[in-house]
Amino acid sequence: MWGSADDTVSCIACGEELSREDAREYDKHGDRWDRDGKRFEYLCKPCFRGLAKHSRDGLEDALAAAGAGRVDDAEFLRRFLAAGREEPPGGEK
């Protein structure tokens, strides 16, 4: 489950090959502490430092609402950015 320190992994951002011991675990669901049944991906330290560490709550819903995987990239970005500029529900007016 934990693997060996001798394991080699690839950084999912830049492709660098490095020892698992020198890598940082990445959980696309944002919950790296719940380990049951998961296979982690890895990032090298420089790529990990470059990540935004913001909450991912609601991200999947926002991606789906913007048409991720269903519309072309330009349309998806237009929708996603437009939705990001909207006032959140219950915000001040």
Side-chain angles (χ1 to χ4, degrees), residues 21-70:
E21 185 176 277
D22 292 333
R24 297 291 179 254
E25 291 180 341
Y26 174 76
D27 177 5
K28 68 181 177 179
H29 300 289
D31 180 14
R32 67 184 223 151
W33 305 112
D34 181 11
R35 305 185 76 78
D36 293 335
K38 286 189 180 174
R39 288 188 46 148
F40 289 91
E41 296 173 303
Y42 298 91
L43 292 160
C44 65
K45 290 177 184 179
C47 289
F48 181 79
R49 280 192 291 274
L51 282 179
K53 310 296 191 292
H54 300 286
S55 171
R56 296 183 188 119
D57 291 343
L59 178 59
E60 289 293 326
D61 291 336
L63 294 171
R70 296 188 323 267

Side-chain angles (χ1 to χ4, degrees), residues 70-84:
R70 296 188 323 267
V71 299
D72 65 57
D73 290 350
E75 178 63 14
F76 165 74
L77 288 173
R78 186 191 66 71
R79 291 178 184 185
F80 187 77
L81 293 173

